[in-house]
Amino acid sequence: MGRSRTRRPAPVPPSGLPEELRTTLQPLLGDAVNDLEAALATPSPTSLRLNPAKPFAPSGTPVPWCSTGLYLDERPAFTFDPLLHAGCYYVQEASSMLLEPALRATGLLGDDIRALDLSAAPGGKSTHLRSLLTPASLLVANEVDRRRAQVLQENLWKWGGPNTVVLNDTPERLAATGISFDLVVLDAPCSGEGMFRKDPFARAQWTPGLVRQCATVQRTILPHAWDLLAPGGFLVYSTCTWEPTENEGQLIPLLEQGAEPVDPHFDATWGVQHTEVEGVIGHRCYPHKVRGEGFFIAVLRKPGERSGHRLRSDGTTALPNGIRADRPQQVVVREDVEHVVDATWAPVVEHLCRSTRVLSPGTPLWQLNGDRKDPHPALALSTLLDRTAFIPVELDEAQAIAYLRGEALPARDVRGTGLVLHRGHALGWVSGAGNRWNNNWPAPWRIRAQHPHAVRVSWSMTPAHR
Ligand code: SAM
């Protein structure tokens, strides 16, 4: 989850802050620029966010602003942990988890809403949103870059939440659909200063020109984000940079269009810096103050009255095979895959299918192969899965890693479709072929890395879950 697919040679970053950035930060931080520089020379904290829909309870130190966030004392080789692949957690730096208290401030959590994550890959904010929204809420996760959209889709399938649509389109084309959302999250492409410590590439590629370029891109995306908001809806804007031109400066024009700033009133003990620039209320994370990376977040409300959504009580009454759901679902077939989505959202999803590039219009259930239907990899990982419909195949850690590498599993006299489980969490499918289970784990998701000496994940559990 959340891993990059391309291997780039690690650049040797120049040490210290670039002089031009120092000049930008001096008026914001004064002498504390030196403290920031010192903090950037220390190791990044390791943190992850647990999936409440796939409970397990490793020990760690809670992230104060996120109910599911944990700091770990070391950074193990997560790739070799089957629970990562089962979607039980997402490795995410902690400042980004401020999305949770920012969303609480909107008052939307608890309502069944339509939410859009406009630049969503690899899926940190989308998986978090999926956990924070009600299961019946619709989450549309969009990513403009095709390759990154595939990674987003994989991470959301593994997270397993229902009513999640994955798109690969531009903000402009999305806005042209005329569909509006109660919540739009724009975690914008940015100059990445906040990632200097964690990612040497961010430091190596930084130039003042990059800052100007990113500010221009943000200026083109934001009007579409605003158009996509329903009256009374909320925009959450975030970046991982400290540049005022990419942060508060981007939001000033929206205030001129009537946007109302919302202050989430973050707890002072978290160390997040509150800013007010020409009416825009922002919040900034600096690693010398916050146990996390550099980050900016702001919330704006669009004027007007929000009209709620009445969930439909009609729809497909007979549920497709293999799932359980307490609400009527609608089947949507796309590219020979049968998906389901809450019947309430079917018209919106069909509209999206007609007018944008949809990768998945809901939870994929069955791959249609002529007369045959095979369970889709996402079904095994979905919270809608009805496990009782399949043969359980529980694997220990070594077997689960072999499975995730794509190996067949020795067995005796097995037939039919088996559901692979590790520590009670579903992973994927196998097909019985007599003396072995054939492996149906998708080839692009296989573990390829060989790290015989890697620090393995060894979860010590909090007492209630031992
Ligand atoms: N929200 C993601 C998460 O939490 O995992 C991270 C998003 S990343 C900061 C910004 C994303 O914006 C990238 O995936 C990038 O491909 C996308 N992007 C780049 N240019 C864009 C554009 N012009 N319009 C929309 N998205 C763009």
Side-chain angles (χ1 to χ4, degrees):
M1 308 267 285
R3 66 207 134 100
S4 157
R5 287 284 164 92
T6 46
R7 288 196 182 281
R8 300 171 293 183
V12 180
S15 58
L17 288 168
E19 212 34 59
E20 300 91 334
L21 176 53
R22 193 169 249 289
T23 309
T24 304
L25 290 173
Q26 198 80 46
L28 298 169
L29 294 177
D31 288 346
V33 173
N34 298 325
D35 301 337
L36 171 64
E37 195 160 30
L40 292 179
T42 63
S44 291
T46 299
S47 51
L48 52 79
R49 195 167 32 73
L50 298 168
N51 184 346
K54 302 187 176 189
F56 91 117
S59 45
T61 310
V63 174
W65 47 87
C66 176
S67 54
T68 49
L70 275 188
Y71 294 106
L72 304 184
D73 292 338
E74 57 176 8
R75 191 173 184 89
F78 292 112
T79 307
F80 298 101
D81 180 17
L83 295 185
L84 174 76
H85 301 266
C88 294
Y89 62 93
Y90 189 97
V91 181
Q92 187 180 35
E93 75 80 23
S95 303
S96 306
M97 301 179 196
L98 282 169
L99 181 65
E100 179 169 326
L103 281 189
R104 290 211 187 288
T106 66
L108 290 175
L109 300 183
D111 289 358
D112 298 316
I113 63 161
R114 292 209 304 231
L116 169 68
D117 188 356
L118 195 51
S119 51
K125 309 289 179 308
S126 283
T127 50
H128 199 179
L129 275 168
R130 191 59 281 173
S131 299
L132 292 169
L133 301 176
T134 61
S137 291
L138 178 71
L139 171 62
V140 176
N142 178 63
E143 168 56 43
V144 71
D145 179 287
R146 195 170 184 76
R147 187 187 55 83
R148 288 175 63 84
Q150 294 293 339
V151 178
L152 170 69
Q153 176 170 257
E154 172 185 335
N155 285 336
L156 281 167
W157 283 352
K158 288 179 175 173
W159 204 249
N163 298 312
T164 304
V165 172
V166 183
L167 304 188
N168 169 217
D169 220 320
T170 61
E172 188 179 3
R173 275 172 45 93
L174 250 165
T177 61
I179 297 172
S180 60
F181 294 84
D182 308 293
L183 170 69
V184 174
V185 173
L186 173 56
D187 187 33
C190 72
S191 56
E193 293 162 5
M195 291 294 131
F196 276 12
R197 174 165 67 170
K198 212 172 150 221
D199 181 1
F201 278 95
R203 174 70 183 82
Q205 72 170 6
W206 190 93
T207 61
L210 178 68
V211 174
R212 285 193 294 276
Q213 205 181 317
C214 291
T216 304
V217 173
Q218 292 147 4
R219 257 194 304 280
T220 61
I221 305 174
L222 267 163
H224 300 307
W226 193 247
D227 286 351
L228 282 155
L229 264 186
F234 292 84
L235 171 70
V236 176
Y237 179 77
S238 61
T239 69
C240 57
T241 192
W242 298 301
E243 291 293 329
T245 54
E246 296 186 60
N247 293 326
E248 293 90 343
Q250 290 291 331
L251 302 178
I252 293 167
L254 293 182
L255 290 200
E256 287 155 9
Q257 291 180 47
E260 299 155 9
V262 176
D263 187 348
H265 296 289
F266 293 149
D267 189 311
T269 61
W270 299 345
V272 181
Q273 192 190 71
H274 175 103
T275 61
E276 285 195 35
V277 180
E278 296 184 38
V280 172
I281 297 174
H283 287 89
R284 293 168 158 261
C285 298
Y286 294 101
H288 63 290
K289 291 281 202 186
V290 170
R291 197 172 168 198
E293 304 305 326
F295 190 61
F296 171 86
I297 192 161
V299 184
L300 295 176
R301 183 179 174 278
K302 193 169 191 167
E305 270 310 298
R306 198 167 70 80
S307 48
H309 305 278
R310 192 125 59 86
L311 294 189
R312 272 170 62 175
S313 52
D314 58 322
T316 313
T317 40
L319 286 175
N321 233 354
I323 66 163
R324 270 192 237 238
D326 51 12
R327 299 234 345 108
Q329 304 290 307
Q330 190 76 38
V331 172
V332 184
V333 177
R334 191 165 177 82
E335 295 183 352
D336 292 331
V337 177
E338 200 175 272
H339 302 74
V340 280
V341 70
D342 192 293
T344 308
W345 311 121
V348 181
V349 171
E350 279 157 8
H351 186 160
L352 285 169
C353 286
R354 282 192 302 273
S355 43
T356 66
R357 195 151 41 174
V358 172
L359 297 187
S360 30
T363 306
L365 305 181
W366 298 94
Q367 178 81 49
L368 310 175
N369 292 318
D371 293 344
R372 223 183 57 225
K373 272 182 163 191
D374 296 316
H376 192 279
L379 172 60
L381 295 150
S382 168
T383 55
L384 296 179
L385 174 72
D386 175 9
R387 290 183 178 197
T388 60
F390 304 96
I391 306 163
V393 182
E394 176 74 39
L395 303 184
D396 65 21
E397 188 187 84
Q399 291 168 323
I401 291 174
Y403 173 73
L404 294 168
R405 286 191 186 283
E407 294 169 20
L409 305 169
R412 280 191 25 205
D413 199 21
V414 288
R415 307 265 161 230
T417 299
L419 174 68
V420 168
L421 302 153
H422 174 64
R423 292 169 69 163
H425 292 286
L427 272 170
W429 305 110
V430 281
S431 312
N435 60 357
R436 64 171 196 279
W437 286 111
N438 283 338
N439 190 315
N440 297 337
W441 184 245
W445 297 0
R446 282 183 194 157
I447 299 178
R448 293 198 166 72
Q450 302 287 346
H451 273 276
H453 306 301
V455 181
R456 286 292 166 87
V457 172
S458 155
W459 299 116
S460 60
M461 299 292 167
T462 50
H465 286 79
R466 277 200 185 117

